[in-house]
């Protein structure tokens, strides 16, 4: 059973990466600047909201609503078809309350869906920029360290022209 869920999760992730993200986002081909990478990585590691703060991508709200509505109907239509006989016998006042509940759930889950997409694209952009600026350091091992070092550099008011050297020196010191 766990194997089936793992397989489904992999398929959903591939579908999201291959179909949904290219349809809902406009991604820039230009590489991210080192300064932007540091700032974005710090915000991502701290769990801050990233929408509108990362250069290199733009979310198409209309397309994201279209995708979300299609996904919402993939869940809602089969379940309402299965429960049609029960729903047909329910009092109309209860159905109005259920409609209000489902409308609220729609917009709440859209906000979650949108944040998930933005976080997924942000991580993808950060990892691509990481490959460009830190090719000798693994992202999963050193991303938090770089965010911490960047915060320290900001506190010490290290000039931007010396920032890359400062961070690389500190990473090499920590690696020893």
């Amino acid at each position: 059973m766990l194997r089936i869920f793992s397989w489904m999760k992999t398929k959903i992730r591939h579908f999201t990466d291959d179909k949904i993200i290219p349809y809902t986002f406009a991604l820039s081909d230009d590489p991210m600047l080192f300064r932007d990478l540091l700032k974005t990585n710090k915000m991502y590691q701290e769990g801050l909201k990233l929408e509108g703060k990362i250069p290199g991508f733009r979310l198409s709200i209309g397309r994201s609503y279209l995708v979300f509505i299609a996904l919402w109907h993939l869940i809602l239509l089969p379940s309402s078809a299965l429960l049609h006989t029960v729903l047909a016998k329910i009092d109309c006042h209860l159905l109005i309350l259920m409609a209000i509940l489902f409308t609220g759930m729609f917009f709440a889950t859209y906000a979650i869906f949108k944040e998930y997409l933005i976080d997924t694209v942000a991580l993808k952009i950060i990892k691509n920029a990481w490959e460009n600026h830190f090719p000798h350091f693994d992202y999963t091992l050193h991303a938090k360290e770089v965010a911490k070092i960047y915060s320290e550099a900001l506190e010490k008011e290290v000039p931007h022209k010396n920032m890359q050297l400062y961070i690389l020196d500190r990473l090499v010191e920590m690696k020893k």
Side-chain angles (χ1 to χ4, degrees):
M1 190 62 125
L2 185 62
R3 194 170 166 186
I4 293 171
F5 286 125
S6 175
W7 177 80
M8 285 177 55
K9 186 177 177 183
T10 304
K11 289 294 183 185
I12 290 171
R13 182 164 287 141
H14 285 296
F15 181 74
T16 302
D17 290 342
D18 297 340
K19 303 291 184 203
I20 294 175
I21 288 174
Y23 182 72
T24 57
F25 286 92
L27 300 174
S28 174
D29 292 334
D30 296 335
M32 183 182 273
L33 298 174
F34 184 75
R35 186 176 354 172
D36 292 335
L37 169 64
L38 294 175
K39 184 175 150 186
T40 305
N41 181 53
K42 182 178 179 282
M43 287 189 308
Y44 185 81
Q45 295 300 325
E46 292 175 353
L48 298 176
K49 187 175 179 182
L50 300 172
E51 182 179 7
K53 296 178 183 170
I54 299 177
F57 78 89
R58 185 180 56 81
L59 173 67
S60 171
I61 301 292
R63 287 183 174 193
S64 67
Y65 266 116
L66 284 174
V67 169
F68 184 71
I69 288 169
L71 293 173
W72 181 263
H73 279 87
L74 281 175
I75 296 168
L76 192 63
L77 290 178
S79 61
S80 63
L82 289 172
L83 299 172
H84 178 70
T85 56
V86 175
L87 292 173
K89 296 176 184 176
I90 294 178
D91 182 42
C92 67
H93 294 92
L94 184 59
L95 287 176
I96 292 170
L97 292 175
M98 286 176 62
I100 294 169
L101 176 71
F102 276 99
T103 303
M105 283 177 47
F106 174 82
F107 289 108
T109 53
Y110 173 74
I112 294 168
F113 173 75
K114 187 170 113 176
E115 286 297 319
Y116 168 75
L117 286 180
I118 290 170
D119 286 346
T120 303
V121 171
L123 183 60
K124 183 178 177 182
I125 289 173
I126 290 170
K127 284 184 176 182
N128 286 341
W130 189 276
E131 293 284 324
N132 188 23
H133 295 291
F134 296 108
H136 302 292
F137 298 96
D138 184 37
Y139 174 79
T140 55
L141 297 175
H142 300 288
K144 289 183 181 181
E145 294 171 2
V146 169
K148 186 176 176 183
I149 294 168
Y150 177 63
S151 295
E152 291 171 7
L154 289 176
E155 288 176 14
K156 292 181 180 180
E157 297 179 359
V158 174
H160 288 293
K161 63 182 180 180
N162 299 336
M163 187 71 70
Q164 188 169 8
L165 182 61
Y166 177 81
I167 289 174
L168 288 173
D169 285 344
R170 292 291 312 270
L171 274 175
V172 170
E173 284 176 19
M174 293 176 129
K175 207 172 187 183
K176 289 181 181 179

